[in-house]
Amino acid sequence: MSQQGYVAAPPYSQAQPGMGGYQGGFGASPAQPLYGHYGGPPQAFAAPPTGKKLLLLCPMQSPPPPTSSVIQQPFQTSPPPAMGQPQMPPGPQLPHMSPPQSPLASMQMSGPPMSGPPMSGPPMSGHPMSGPPMSGPPMSGHPMSGHPMSGQPMSGPLMSGQPMSGQPMSGQPMAGPPMSGPPMAGMGRPFPGPPPSGPGGFQQPGQFGGHMAGPQPGMPGAFPGAPGGLAGPPQKKLDPDSIPSITQVIEDDQVKRGGQVYSTNIRGQVPPLVTTDFTVQDQGNASPRFMRCTTYSLPSTADLAKQCQVPLAAIIKPFANLPKNETPLYVVNHGETGPIRCNRCKAYMCPYMQFIDGGRRYQCGFCNCVNEVPVFFFQHLDHMGRRADFYERPELSLGSYEFVATLDYCKNNKLPNPPAYIFMIDVSYNNIKSGLVKLICDELKTLLENLPRYISAINVGFVTYNKVLHFYNVKSALAQPQMMVVSDTAEMFVPLLDGFLVNYQESKAVIYNLLDQIPDMFAETNESETVFVPVIQAGVEAFKAAECSGKLFIFQSSMPTAEAPGKLKNRDDKKLVNTEKEKTLFQPQKGVYEQLSKECVAQGCCVDLFLFPSQYMDIATMADVPSHTGGSVYKYNNFQVETDGEHFLRDLRKDVQKSIGFDAIMRVRTSTGFRATEFFGAVHMNNTTDVEMAAVDCDKAMTVEFKHDDALSEETGALMQCALLYTTVNGQRRLRVHNLSLNCSSQLSELYKSCETDSLINFFAKSACRAILNQPLKNVREILVNQTAHMLACYRKNCASPSAASQLILPDAMKVFPVYMNSLMKTAPLVGSTELSTDDRAHQRLLLMGMGVEDTQLLLYPRLTPLHNVDVNVEAQPAPVRCSEERLTDSGMFLLENGHSMFLWLGQASPPELIQSIFNLPSLAHLQGHMCALPELDNPLSNKVRSFIDGLIEKRPNSMKLNIVRQKDKPEMLFRQFLVEDKGLHGGASYMDFLCYVHREIRQLLT
Ligand SMILES: [Zn+2]
């Protein structure tokens, strides 16, 4: 756990260059100016980089010759023409999705411009063509490489640009109806009114080549299933390799930046992708593991931000785990004085404070206030104006560090007690019968015994419940645990103080005894009703009495229907799906639940919920408290010990051992000109600036959106400081500070160059998941599509070199953005399908709200990895392929995982040798349906495959259950819904269709 490691760090006052944890080079004179020199020009991009773009050609367009199609002109250096506001009104927007701002400016675009043959593809598959019939040869199944297709009129987009798969694709002239056909309805408005029908709002891409009839008439909306009714000529396939590939982008970044040290000394530098394996060296800006931005060059004015509509946001994961080879955070202790802060804006001492006056005063980088340097902190400046102790003080030279907080930062001016964990087990009939209670009790014995040392000091308590609550006295002096029953759940109280929360090691014998007895005590129970709110209330009361914060682990299998506060009724109603009222399915019941969240946050009581439903549980309501207290919600549908036990136990172990801070409050400060306006996450807000979290663990991330107040200075850039006050698991009050500096530019091209697609999609995912609480899903999806089109149209208009209107030009940094966006709209919460359970949708919505960038990336683009042809003799892990059915082979074996679900898919023609090696069975037909783990066989392939799977389960925040599916078996449907490049199983367009739709929208915007 990272925050523990640095306790033993050498005292800063003694540190010298080359000290302890600083990595090579840090102690020595920096090769380039560090933070004191932020006023200087950004160091990247001294020369205008060569733009890298991707072209998508439309029908009737001859693609540019290979050379010109790929080598784009440099980005303009003069200000791009402004997009006239009249043409670009903001259009219908969610309040929180109002035109975001953000430019990026400093990605290093070293290397040659992307040169590669242009790619062209045949028309898209599966689309009715409303235009003239195509006369080209059917292209399906033919890679485009090397096949001239001259003269074949085709309708459908043609891509040119960088080769996505390495094979040359010669460009073909495509014939098709001119795009200058009848203007679309709503033309001239960036956000044409929503199409009246179809939740998706997707035009069939077949019309892409036809006249642009507009989305209105007969638009089936690609979302709800296939547009079966549309007539058209047989579809032709566009080579899927010709559109931008996420797996390729990931691989390219790994090749380019993988294995390298990423130093954070350059303002506005775009970090490697989250999927890339790199090492971070903190040299004045927070590691991208802690903070990632949607763009690293902010637009200098609000007008520019509005014009491009690229959201300006940071995704902050304050407790992110660091790899072993990176230095844990240093702790600064100024004793009773406490942290040094700006008198005006209260920002903490950091690399952005400029020392002046011979070191006697400093100017705040956030508000420009000039402050006196406290006497104890005084230090002379060297000839460069830098303090002589620059490298000895983390708060002067690092992006991230901690301060020991003083009493002023503690509740009631009292140092906190160490947090406590309370295990609260539903012992109603279902849980006893399924064997779950016994499973939990057995596991807790080993789990608590093997707690990592850093949390072994934590106190623990135990409660069981059904309609009433049972508290246990497990004081070490007792020979037997004592049970106390509270049956009046209306006014919850804790019947014992002494002996309820105890040190595990001291009370181990009594606790063992208790855990042994619990399953037997309730073995004969007939009670099937449970309470829920009183259970949480009991936890809050216990923490209150013990004057501590902590976490409740609640294990529950049914909706609380017993007569008690928070009693719930089944309000599931599939008829609401795709109606104005669908949002009510996601809205929690108010009243007592809302109040309970507030009480939990005030006490620092985090709630983790482990649910084992066999039917609807109203997760929207039950998970409301966890989702406001930094807690996690785990769900095991139709739980069976044999098939789901291990999955659940792995989750529980991971959860208990997570690094975590309690009773936290976070503030994000910014330099003048912009400020944090929206916060998305498992958090609670009492006012507009303080983010309160009962707890925050290493996997929870807050997404913070920024808006302009004023113009930003290109010279000084934009600074942000995230300060998180919290209590460690040992009960120490700390301040964790993360600083990040971004560039500012009046050039939109800088913004687009410095975009971070994975962060952008994290922002959109969270803002959409919040929006569906208040708006019809149809509106939310339309806004997502419109904003996608708008961002890309703005790039095209202002940043791309002139080209034919029929070309889709994507900024290099955003070229796979449409795949993610399309996948987002097909996620359970957003897709609007009656086939999905309301609880599953609500659960995923809440999960998304707390996710960091790695998690949303993986969720929205699952890894599909062929395992039948792995080289067992190489160390390297097998490489994933694109997430589409096209990549599957009948004789193959593929693993698919998205961080929450995992499938091993077996083609129907899997060779018997493969089945023998993996399953020890003679053929696929012998495979049992419900197998959920691979047998341990001692052969190279089995070892390789199992270690690959185990590695993934270990690496992800959640454990995953392995589902084994055979091609064409019924459960295969579950697997197929994760093939996100294909048409959605529950609705939603294929990637290709979506790209074409977006292209059409862009053209409309540009007309
Ligand atoms: Zn200040």
Side-chain angles (χ1 to χ4, degrees), residues 720-733:
M720 51 183 85
Q721 180 178 76
C722 161
L724 183 92
L725 177 64
Y726 76 101
T727 302
T728 70
V729 279
N730 291 324
Q732 208 181 11
R733 202 70 174 147

Side-chain angles (χ1 to χ4, degrees), residues 135-179:
S135 63
M139 300 300 292
S140 62
H142 287 275
M144 302 300 295
S145 56
H147 287 277
M149 314 220 306
S150 57
Q152 300 302 349
M154 311 221 289
S155 113
L158 217 170
M159 309 278 308
S160 90
Q162 56 227 86
M164 303 308 296
S165 65
Q167 73 247 60
M169 311 256 228
S170 60
Q172 299 316 322
M174 310 272 269
M179 299 306 283

Side-chain angles (χ1 to χ4, degrees), residues 342 344-346 364 366-367 369:
C342 169
R344 188 194 288 160
C345 73
K346 303 295 178 194
C364 174
F366 297 92
C367 71
C369 174

